[in-house]
Amino acid sequence: MKIMTMPTRPFPGQKPGTSGLRKKVREFAQPGYLENFVQSIFDTLGDCRGKTLLLGGDGRYFNDKAIQTVLRMAAAAGYARVMVGRNGILSTPAASAVIRKRGLSGGIILSASHNPGGPDADFGIKYNLGNGGPASESFTEAVYRRTQEISEYRMLEARDINLGHIAETTLGEMAVSIFDPVADYAELLESLFDFEKISELFVRDGFRMRFDALHAVTGPYAKAILENRLGALEGTVINAVPLPDFGGGHPDPNPVYAAGLVAEVSSPGSMLSFGAASDGDGDRNMVIGPNFVVGPSDSLAVLAANHSLIPAYAGRLAGVARSMPTSRAVDRVAEELGIPCFETPTGWKFFGNLLDAGKATLCGEESSGAGSNHLREKDGIWAVLYWLNILASRGETVEQIVRGHWRRFGRHYYSRHDYEALDAAGAEMLFACLRDVLPSLPGKPVSKTKVRMADDFAYLDPIDGSRSERQGVRIMLDDGSRIVFRLSGTGTEGATLRIYLERYESDPECLAIPVQEALTPLIQLAGELARITEITGRTRPDVIS
Ligand code: G16
């Protein structure tokens, strides 16, 4: 088999966003597009000879073709071995677990996460380092620079490999190991939680739950762990078969896209006490009880406050970390525990250094992500098991646990308003105007309070000293309320403006106000400051979460 060197030209816009490169399938499927990006990763890595690479994805449309391309290119780059999840399937957290357990040099994960799949929808690719976590900003910047100057890529002339069976095979001189994508991950999770207690909950106490895999990657993982190992009833995991188009759905675990699950758990006479869902690549989570959805920021705070119930974390919480726009509910828990709480920019990659240095043990984000030092990605099934372990230990309902948490720590009313598919130039202008007014804001009266400070968040990594600028505009009020504005780094159409609104309330009489009502003055202020309607023409957000 011979290695072919193919001439190519740079494609514009191959700049990785919050989590890798995400584009429409038709963009990725252009001849040379995927190849340029993969070659740029290999060129940035330098000498790949003798190393082992991990490869897999969330099974979305184009996953199968892309895997064969990456395999041929890895062979040409000199990798000694590539480990591929059977059928090309590997959830993002499982990829992180396998890289770490087996000491691999890194991994390529093919996923566009919670974005829809299919020929007209989205595809994505990202590189994870030897610590199992997403590549740093400096690495992805270097990859981007390489994509702008690339003139050739290399590929082994070879047949497609059958990925359907666990087997050892070769591609030219490179070994290819097709392995069970579930085993290492399931074993790791079993080492963290009290599986016996959770199993008793299902088997002895007859506890019933639903896990909606949304036809994305977590189906096989959730079935193996919840039904086969923990003894939850067969049928607990629904939509369990990964499909290239996610069954036409949107694999985003929120009350809108998992509306069927919310309705089932909340229906009168339902036997279900708990519901959960994960996203396209298995790193996000949603947890719900009957008529009660747990917000991701609250969930992080509850996980931290209950860490002493979990074998892996009891007495071992070094610190917690959250992304800047995430509500500060977890900060209050950290304060009471007397441990540090780190505030990072949006993007799981920013937690990597803190986790590696042993500074943070639990991390989480408003975007439905939570995880710990067990790996270097957020982890959907991990969060569900953490909740199950809490439910099994406390014998209370989801709602009782969260309301009890609010009574103890106060409630951070929180909501995110998204304006999607905006004209990119208009969105840039909106931010330019917003940044212009920041210096004039301190002292401005708002409802019964006033603006305390306004800035553009910059992060100085406490471990490696790197600095990340322009990570979101923050408006902080005297009463502790906050508005944060940023542009999403994961969309594939125009620009998405995200507005994060937060208000703290400790009065026990005021803990049950409808969220949007509790945030009304902040919503009005956000619209006024950013001149949203004037600049974008939009009168209301597309998604409120
Ligand atoms: C990715 C990142 C997260 C981030 C989220 C949303 O998650 O890993 O850290 O919070 O995107 O980012 P943005 O607000 O820029 O759209 P995922 O689950 O999409 O890989």
Side-chain angles (χ1 to χ4, degrees):
M1 283 182 234
K2 79 169 196 286
I3 293 174
M4 301 176 296
T5 300
M6 313 290 287
T8 189
R9 272 191 310 204
F11 288 90
Q14 291 199 318
K15 190 174 171 62
T18 312
S19 181
L21 184 68
R22 290 187 194 168
K23 299 282 178 193
K24 294 284 174 208
V25 165
R26 55 179 179 275
E27 203 159 346
F28 262 109
Q30 299 173 81
Y33 192 93
L34 173 69
E35 291 84 346
N36 276 14
F37 193 75
V38 172
Q39 188 65 54
S40 298
I41 293 175
F42 292 157
D43 290 350
T44 305
L45 287 169
D47 190 1
C48 300
R49 281 174 305 171
K51 295 184 175 158
T52 300
L53 178 76
L54 183 70
L55 178 61
D58 62 14
R60 68 178 56 226
Y61 187 84
F62 198 60
N63 195 65
D64 49 354
K65 283 206 175 67
I67 287 207
Q68 302 290 349
T69 300
V70 177
L71 277 171
R72 286 195 271 270
M73 292 186 69
Y79 275 100
R81 176 181 298 271
V82 176
M83 291 188 61
V84 196
R86 185 180 42 211
N87 291 318
I89 292 285
L90 204 50
S91 80
T92 288
S96 186
V98 173
I99 292 172
R100 293 170 67 74
K101 176 175 172 186
R102 296 173 185 258
L104 309 188
S105 65
I108 289 184
I109 303 175
L110 304 168
S111 169
S113 188
H114 54 290
N115 297 16
D120 297 320
D122 296 349
F123 190 74
I125 176 168
K126 67 173 181 166
Y127 184 76
N128 278 33
L129 304 169
N131 73 348
S136 61
E137 260 198 335
S138 57
F139 182 88
T140 56
E141 277 299 319
V143 172
Y144 174 56
R145 281 197 299 277
R146 185 71 194 137
T147 66
Q148 299 307 289
E149 60 192 28
I150 192 165
S151 58
E152 59 183 41
Y153 61 83
R154 287 175 297 286
M155 182 175 268
L156 189 76
E157 196 177 35
R159 65 197 152 80
D160 277 2
I161 283 193
N162 176 358
L163 301 175
H165 303 286
I166 291 171
E168 290 287 325
T169 177
T170 55
L171 198 58
E173 288 174 15
M174 184 179 81
V176 179
S177 312
I178 301 157
F179 70 101
D180 171 7
V182 177
D184 286 356
Y185 174 75
E187 185 188 292
L188 174 63
L189 291 188
E190 189 160 358
S191 73
L192 305 175
F193 299 104
D194 192 339
F195 266 38
E196 216 168 288
K197 198 170 241 160
I198 302 174
S199 177
E200 273 176 14
L201 184 70
F202 285 125
V203 179
R204 192 193 62 196
D205 306 344
F207 182 89
R208 302 274 176 273
M209 71 168 283
R210 276 282 175 283
F211 180 96
D212 192 345
L214 297 171
H215 284 305
V217 79
T218 47
Y221 295 88
K223 266 198 152 323
I225 296 171
L226 295 173
E227 296 184 10
N228 301 346
R229 292 201 182 201
L230 289 167
L233 286 183
E234 206 183 320
T236 292
V237 182
I238 55 171
N239 299 321
V241 179
L243 297 174
D245 66 348
F246 307 117
H250 198 128
D252 196 354
N254 63 36
V256 176
Y257 297 121
L261 174 74
V262 176
E264 194 188 359
V265 173
S266 304
S267 72
S270 165
M271 299 287 286
L272 302 171
S273 307
F274 184 55
S278 188
D279 69 330
D281 61 333
D283 56 4
R284 296 183 174 211
N285 77 85
M286 175 179 79
V287 293
I288 62 173
N291 300 301
F292 196 86
V293 176
V294 185
S297 298
D298 280 336
S299 181
L300 175 64
V302 170
L303 300 186
N306 288 278
H307 73 280
S308 61
L309 304 173
I310 312 295
Y313 309 113
R316 300 208 186 107
L317 225 52
V320 291
R322 60 162 175 83
S323 65
M324 184 274 282
T326 302
S327 101
R328 289 162 299 174
V330 73
D331 301 33
R332 292 183 189 271
V333 179
E335 200 181 333
E336 190 177 294
L337 293 172
I339 56 172
C341 177
F342 298 90
E343 184 177 50
T344 62
T346 294
W348 205 263
K349 56 182 176 253
F350 291 103
F351 295 135
N353 280 347
L354 295 168
L355 291 164
D356 282 348
K359 299 267 184 213
T361 309
L362 297 181
C363 307
E365 293 186 282
E366 51 69 38
S367 56
S368 304
S372 87
N373 58 354
H374 69 294
L375 35 83
R376 295 294 178 271
E377 289 279 3
K378 55 189 188 271
D379 187 345
I381 294 181
W382 169 89
V384 174
L385 292 175
Y386 201 131
W387 265 96
L388 281 169
N389 203 150
I390 295 174
L391 291 166
S393 305
R394 290 187 46 166
E396 288 174 280
T397 66
V398 172
E399 180 167 357
Q400 284 166 341
I401 289 171
V402 178
R403 291 205 184 278
H405 185 93
W406 290 339
R407 279 193 300 277
R408 183 167 159 210
F409 293 96
R411 178 172 183 186
H412 287 257
Y413 284 100
Y414 187 82
S415 181
R416 189 177 93 188
H417 290 197
D418 293 336
Y419 293 79
E420 295 179 339
L422 297 175
D423 166 59
E428 285 303 331
M429 186 168 100
L430 182 147
F431 268 83
C433 297
L434 190 56
R435 288 192 174 101
D436 277 351
V437 299
L438 291 182
S440 68
L441 292 181
K444 180 182 166 71
V446 182
S447 191
K448 291 177 205 146
T449 177
K450 62 178 188 318
V451 176
R452 182 169 59 78
M453 66 162 264
D455 72 353
D456 206 341
F457 179 61
Y459 179 62
L460 181 66
D461 186 303
I463 311 300
D464 66 13
S466 59
R467 200 174 158 78
S468 305
E469 308 275 353
R470 297 201 155 195
Q471 296 296 325
V473 167
R474 305 186 288 184
I475 318 278
M476 326 275 251
L477 307 188
D478 260 352
D479 68 351
S481 301
R482 268 194 331 169
I483 306 172
V484 175
F485 300 86
R486 56 179 284 285
L487 288 177
S488 159
T490 56
T492 56
E493 243 179 280
T496 294
L497 167 67
R498 301 206 194 286
I499 304 178
Y500 311 82
L501 306 138
E502 178 182 2
R503 178 191 137 194
Y504 177 64
E505 181 59 69
S506 59
D507 181 347
E509 299 302 314
C510 300
L511 297 179
I513 309 169
V515 175
Q516 300 306 313
E517 190 182 316
L519 297 170
T520 301
L522 295 176
I523 296 168
Q524 280 166 355
L525 178 66
E528 184 192 314
L529 291 179
R531 294 160 55 199
I532 297 171
T533 304
E534 187 187 329
I535 297 178
T536 69
R538 303 286 179 89
T539 50
R540 64 172 72 90
D542 299 284
V543 181
I544 294 182
S545 51

